[in-house]
Amino acid sequence: MELKPALEAVLMVVDEPATEEHLAKVLQRSRREVADALRELADEYDVQGRGFELRAVAGGWRYYTRPAYAPAVEGFVLDGQQSRLTQAALETLAVVAYRQPVSRSRVSAVRGVNCDGVMRTLLQRGLVEEAGTEPETGAILYRTTNYFLERMGLRGLDELPELAPFLPEADAIEAETQEGVPSFDPDAPDSEDADDKTEL
């Protein structure tokens, strides 16, 4: 089989980014051959101005709609319906992304509100996952997933933008999180849950 058409056929059916190692094993080629062919395909699509592109994200390769044609796909697939994360969920996800692995109580301390409901939503959507326990307290730690990287279009966490330009008070936030974690009434209504039910 010709390598490039074979790669295109396989990548058309993957539901998550395929690694070069896996593709090389399946197609019985060397990783170098596969890596070179993938880059050549990506360049060819760019030159041709195709409606899709081949990206290296989350440790693998996958086809994506070219950003310029996103409105067309959105109109067809979503038919005007959009499922967006709430502001609370986005803030919580950002805290996990930049401070991972991190416990729910530490995320709540940074945000200043109980984030249990939002964390459940992020877990259900596959954007965060458990990452062991904190030795001192036994609290469950959380981190972002490969799906998070994929949705953000990142190859790895090192591509997250620097916080300094966007958070002038980053030092104050850091100092606050080193203090005791605020206590929350477990019997009180979870305002974040309410947000999830109405907005997510």
Side-chain angles (χ1 to χ4, degrees):
M1 291 186 295
E2 290 186 39
L3 182 54
K4 287 184 182 178
L7 285 169
E8 290 177 320
V10 172
L11 291 171
M12 286 293 290
V13 299
V14 299
D15 57 4
E16 61 183 21
T19 65
E20 293 172 2
E21 294 89 342
H22 190 195
L23 291 170
K25 179 181 178 182
V26 169
L27 300 177
Q28 298 181 344
R29 300 292 188 95
S30 70
R31 177 179 174 180
R32 181 58 179 273
E33 287 180 291
V34 168
D36 289 344
L38 287 167
R39 288 177 177 81
E40 289 175 13
L41 282 172
D43 291 340
E44 289 173 13
Y45 299 148
D46 289 339
V47 171
Q48 296 168 4
R50 305 298 291 270
F52 58 88
E53 59 186 4
L54 183 58
R55 289 190 215 159
V57 294
W61 292 80
R62 186 177 180 184
Y63 285 119
Y64 288 86
T65 301
R66 198 170 294 278
Y69 302 102
V73 176
E74 186 172 318
F76 178 76
V77 176
L78 301 180
D79 191 23
Q81 302 291 322
Q82 295 190 18
S83 177
R84 297 178 176 174
L85 292 174
T86 63
Q87 184 66 29
L90 289 172
E91 291 174 4
T92 300
L93 185 58
V95 174
V96 175
Y98 282 96
R99 298 191 60 85
Q100 61 186 307
V102 62
S103 65
R104 288 191 187 196
S105 59
R106 183 55 57 88
V107 175
S108 295
V110 173
R111 292 197 59 235
V113 294
N114 190 332
C115 68
D116 287 354
V118 171
M119 286 293 287
R120 284 194 293 273
T121 296
L122 296 177
L123 282 165
Q124 291 169 354
R125 292 200 175 191
L127 294 168
V128 301
E129 63 185 1
E130 294 185 6
T133 57
E134 195 170 47
E136 298 82 5
T137 65
I140 297 175
L141 298 174
Y142 298 89
R143 65 187 175 202
T144 53
T145 62
N146 279 339
Y147 179 63
F148 165 79
L149 294 177
E150 181 185 341
R151 299 301 296 173
M152 294 295 291
L154 304 173
R155 292 184 177 86
L157 294 173
D158 57 329
E159 291 191 353
L160 284 170
E162 293 292 331
L163 278 179
F166 306 102
L167 288 177
E169 301 177 5
D171 291 338
I173 293 176
E174 175 68 22
E176 179 183 341
T177 59
Q178 298 304 318
E179 300 175 357
V181 176
S183 59
F184 298 100
D185 181 359
D187 298 321
D190 189 343
S191 60
E192 298 300 320
D193 275 336
D195 287 345
D196 292 342
K197 292 176 182 177
T198 58
E199 299 180 46
L200 284 176

